[in-house]
């Protein structure tokens, strides 16, 4: 058995049985080892698709996928979606092919400081030193990636360790003992229960694993008993929502609206997140969004078991047996007329299939969507935690690989979609059930608002030339066709609703251009 | 005047009057400052296009362009083509928008260690600390980027330094005194002249600025006088070649062929490069390509004036007044029949417009091209110095912006083209004279050879699934159309030759799919 075979075997033994890959020459032995039928490999035509897909996989499976990337530049191409995954608490194991150790001193053209590139966005970086240590390194990488929250583990694989024979049986591995999610602090729970009992206006902000599963119900019981409001930051890694679920409010994105929203509260209670901060800074506007006299209390840190913490809190306020408020189904009906954020949101809500997963990178056009899909059939939403554009279509790809029985609807701005548009090809190749909805306003529309937010009013011609992407207009029908994804273009709400229903029902990927 | 205006003004004053940009919220003040009519800004839909275009600009202008990128992830997306540019000795000034200084401590979603991401692939990294220091920082960045060889200068621009008013007149700037290209070592020249006079078989390897302009003629004179052979590594940043130019041999890519080629020589003389090393390492194959008894002599380092060094060498061997051998024009005629590397090379040679610039990322299909275009009309070739795939279409974009009066022919494999295919959009937007030739073999064909080179023979089904990109086949007509670039597909040598001539003569960009 060579090192690469040992690596693939060990990854699978440790539960990592999917690899999103963009290989090169230095990874040929890893490719040969992929003949192992226990490992599924999914080819991506760009590394940012692979790392985004690994993020999407984690969001649904809560377990890491592997990526296979080609030396420093291949890692670099995947870094922005690694950043997004890191901010989402998504674990992944990145395998970075590297020159053979003896070749490094010659500084061949593709050589670079891989550790240096990996460290700023990885929690754990290791360079394998021999074929014999690879299995142990793989165990350590998976252990790191599987922590709560998930971690970015990057394993650098020199060619000689990949092709060299394993000569020492690996036996059992010393595990570093990455702790499971920590036990909640009972004293903190009691202090927070006292805050809730005080009746002072309070907002509980849920994040991470607190936004789905039983945690949501416990939060709903606390709200039902105490009258506290419960919600999320503007961006959340995954929310279970829709009819029958405990509904969550959403903090606004824009600084003035967020400040206004939080004025109502004397207390903020955080669960797997911190206090709300502005996404960007603007001249003369605050970074912190709460009022100065608002107190922040942490119920559970990101590495603590927030479900248990919320259950303890429900007990502390005597809410265990209460029925939480559950979102009723709201029939938005078939929309008609012009396409605008409202009619688009209605169409998305009404055409949503049961258990759909909505991956949202819609920025401006989609701003109404979350509100109006709140009463749709049960579904999940997934949002961009790191803010690096180009996360949507790769994450949707990984989500669809992870959940083949569910429909993935990816709503994405045209500007954003262009960063990692190669995702469409993998969706077609794997026959993934993804409906990609492109909001084609032919502009980095959000930047027009941000230009005004910075105090400039309307952009001048040169600035506008860096914001409008209408010359040429991207032909989305052709773009879908180019990568084997059937595409349609719609110009009315009726047509959008109709095509959305049709695409959501058809197996495999499809693309809808929403012409704005 | 605010900091951003001071920055743009200073960049232009220092000679950097082009900016390849992919902006975000934190760069709105820079966008406003772009209303300065002296700065040209070119929008790219992906950061790797912007950094590759800056590389292309430098290759032809020998002066740095600026890029505008959005925080750490925006820089990350541009890093692989920064790697390629660094290896090519191309200077550039990267402006990285960053959160306002006061906002950093809140660790907002887009925050990351920008210095950490920049350092592995930058020669110079600085974070501006105030609007008042921006002009001086810009001077320093341009000075670094303009060194010989060019350097990667990365300037981090916190929002507050961009929007803050400049309150202190900048006056004159202390320059750090980046040296011009160093003076050649007369003693080394004399030692090398002695080697040449010895009559022992010698190969002079030219790189960098020694492959165009007067340096080539001096090298040709030395060869004419001494019988030494002159050539290049397999990859070279820019070569002036074709009829009337001093022709250069090319070291083979594959290790066995390169070793065989170098067996003839007792001496290697390097000019702006090092001794030949294998691009990748393979089990049981050498990293160093020369014979053990072959001596390596450095005539000029990359930071030395190689033109003067070659002139001194010509004088030392008494070759000043000799006529070098010049490549005769070779009419390859109109090819016919099947498309294969030979007929493709003939078509490229015969349809080459005078002064064309051939950007080569063709890997397998193009392997015959350099040999068979050697006797074409005068032209330049540009190759991938860092080995990170996805360099071709961005570099062609920057080359075409730099040389609007010349035709750029970009030959690129289908797999390679998909990494940074967003380049087509910028080519359409700017009306650039680029003919993109896609060699569509629907495979990472080079990896099949590399798989065999690693000793595995033919790939198994799982490995092959990571190499073939035929399911689905990319529809290149649709891909061109999607971004506003007219496209045709050809299946015979005649059709390729005909369409190449037509596209090369038509203003603006076009795309030819060569179906293999």
């Amino acid at each position: 058995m060579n090192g690469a075979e040992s690596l693939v075997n060990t990854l699978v033994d440790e539960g990592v049985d999917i690899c999103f890959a963009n290989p090169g020459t230095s990874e040929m032995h890893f490719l040969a080892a992929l003949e192992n039928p226990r490992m599924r490999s999914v080819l991506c035509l760009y590394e940012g698709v692979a790392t985004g897909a690994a993020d999407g996989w984690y969001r649904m499976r809560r377990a890491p996928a592997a990526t296979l990337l080609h030396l420093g530049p291949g890692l670099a191409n995947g870094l922005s979606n690694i950043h997004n995954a890191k901010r989402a608490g998504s674990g992944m194991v990145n395998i970075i092919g590297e020159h053979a150790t003896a070749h490094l001193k010659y500084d061949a053209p593709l050589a670079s400081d891989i550790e240096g590139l990996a460290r700023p966005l990885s929690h754990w970086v290791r360079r394998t030193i021999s074929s014999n240590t690879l299995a142990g390194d793989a165990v350590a990488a998976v252990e790191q990636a599987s922590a709560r929250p998930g971690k970015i583990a990057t394993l650098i694989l020199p060619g000689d360790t990949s092709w060299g024979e394993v000569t020492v049986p690996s036996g059992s591995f010393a595990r570093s003992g990455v702790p499971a999610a920590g036990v909640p602090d009972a004293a903190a729970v009691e202090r927070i229960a006292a805050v809730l009992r005080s009746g002072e206006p309070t907002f509980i902000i849920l994040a991470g694993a607190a936004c789905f599963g039983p945690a949501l119900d416990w939060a709903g019981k606390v709200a039902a008993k105490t009258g506290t409001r419960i919600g999320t930051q503007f961006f959340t890694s995954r929310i279970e929502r829709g009819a029958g679920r405990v509904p969550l409010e959403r903090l606004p994105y824009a600084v003035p609206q967020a400040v206004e929203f939080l004025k109502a509260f004397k207390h903020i209670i955080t669960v797997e997140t911190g206090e709300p901060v502005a996404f960007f800074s603007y001249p003369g506007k605050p970074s912190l969004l709460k009022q100065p006299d608002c107190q922040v209390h942490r119920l559970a840190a990101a590495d603590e078991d927030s479900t248990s913490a919320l259950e303890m809190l429900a007990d502390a306020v005597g809410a265990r047996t209460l029925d939480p408020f559950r979102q009723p189904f709201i029939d938005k009906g078939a929309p008609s007329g012009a396409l605008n954020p409202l009619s688009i949101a209605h169409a998305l809500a009404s055409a949503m299939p049961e258990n759909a997963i909505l991956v949202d990178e819609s920025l401006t056009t989609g701003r109404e969507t979350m509100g109006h899909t709140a009463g749709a059939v049960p579904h999940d939403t997934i949002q961009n935690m790191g803010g690096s554009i180009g996360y949507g279509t790769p994450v949707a790809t990984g989500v669809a690989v992870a959940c083949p029985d569910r429909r993935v609807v990816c709503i994405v701005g045209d500007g954003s979609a262009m960063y990692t548009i190669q995702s469409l090809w993998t969706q077609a190749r794997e026959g993934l059930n993804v409906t990609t909805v492109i909001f084609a306003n032919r502009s980095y529309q959000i930047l027009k608002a941000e230009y005004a937010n910075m105090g400039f009013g309307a952009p001048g011609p040169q600035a506008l030339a860096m914001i409008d992407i209408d010359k040429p207009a991207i032909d989305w029908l052709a773009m879908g066709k180019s990568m084997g994804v059937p595409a349609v273009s719609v110009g009315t709400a009726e047509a959008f609703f109709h095509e959305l229903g049709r695409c959501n029902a058809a197996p495999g990927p499809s693309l809808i251009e929403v012409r704005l």
Side-chain angles (χ1 to χ4, degrees), chain A residues 3 35 43 78 155 180 220 237 281 310 314 335 348 372 378 388 448 475 503:
Chain A
E35 298 301 334
L43 180 59
L155 181 60
S237 59
S281 50
L310 287 161
L348 285 164
H372 290 280
S388 181
K448 289 185 186 167
D475 181 335
C503 291

Side-chain angles (χ1 to χ4, degrees), chain A residues 124-186:
Chain A
W124 179 96
V125 179
R126 185 178 292 178
R127 173 179 292 259
T128 285
I129 58 165
S130 110
S131 310
N132 288 325
T133 61
L134 252 176
D137 294 334
V139 168
V142 177
E143 196 180 16
Q144 289 288 332
S146 305
R148 285 285 181 268
K151 299 285 187 293
I152 308 298
T154 300
L155 181 60
I156 302 168
L157 181 68
D160 52 319
T161 68
S162 191
W163 71 57
E165 280 302 300
V166 176
T167 54
V168 177
S170 55
S172 62
F173 299 104
R175 297 188 186 247
S176 59
V178 172
V183 177
D185 177 351

Side-chain angles (χ1 to χ4, degrees), chain A residues 258-259 262-263 265 268 275-277 286-296:
Chain A
V259 168
L262 290 175
K263 272 186 183 162
F265 302 106
I268 289 172
E275 75 161 286
V277 301
S287 290
L288 292 181
L289 303 174
K290 71 173 193 304
Q291 293 299 302
D293 64 346
C294 176
Q295 293 181 51
V296 179

Side-chain angles (χ1 to χ4, degrees), chain A residues 162-216:
Chain A
S162 191
W163 71 57
E165 280 302 300
V166 176
T167 54
V168 177
S170 55
S172 62
F173 299 104
R175 297 188 186 247
S176 59
V178 172
V183 177
D185 177 351
V189 170
E190 196 39 59
R191 279 194 302 276
I192 288 166
V195 167
L196 295 178
R197 282 190 292 261
S198 77
E200 291 196 320
T202 301
F203 186 47
I204 302 182
I205 305 181
L206 305 176
C211 297
F212 53 86
L216 256 188

Side-chain angles (χ1 to χ4, degrees), chain A residues 316-337:
Chain A
V317 300
R320 174 171 284 274
T321 58
L322 263 68
D323 283 331
F325 174 73
R326 292 186 185 279
Q327 174 69 47
F329 177 72
I330 301 171
D331 187 355
K332 292 282 180 184
S336 65

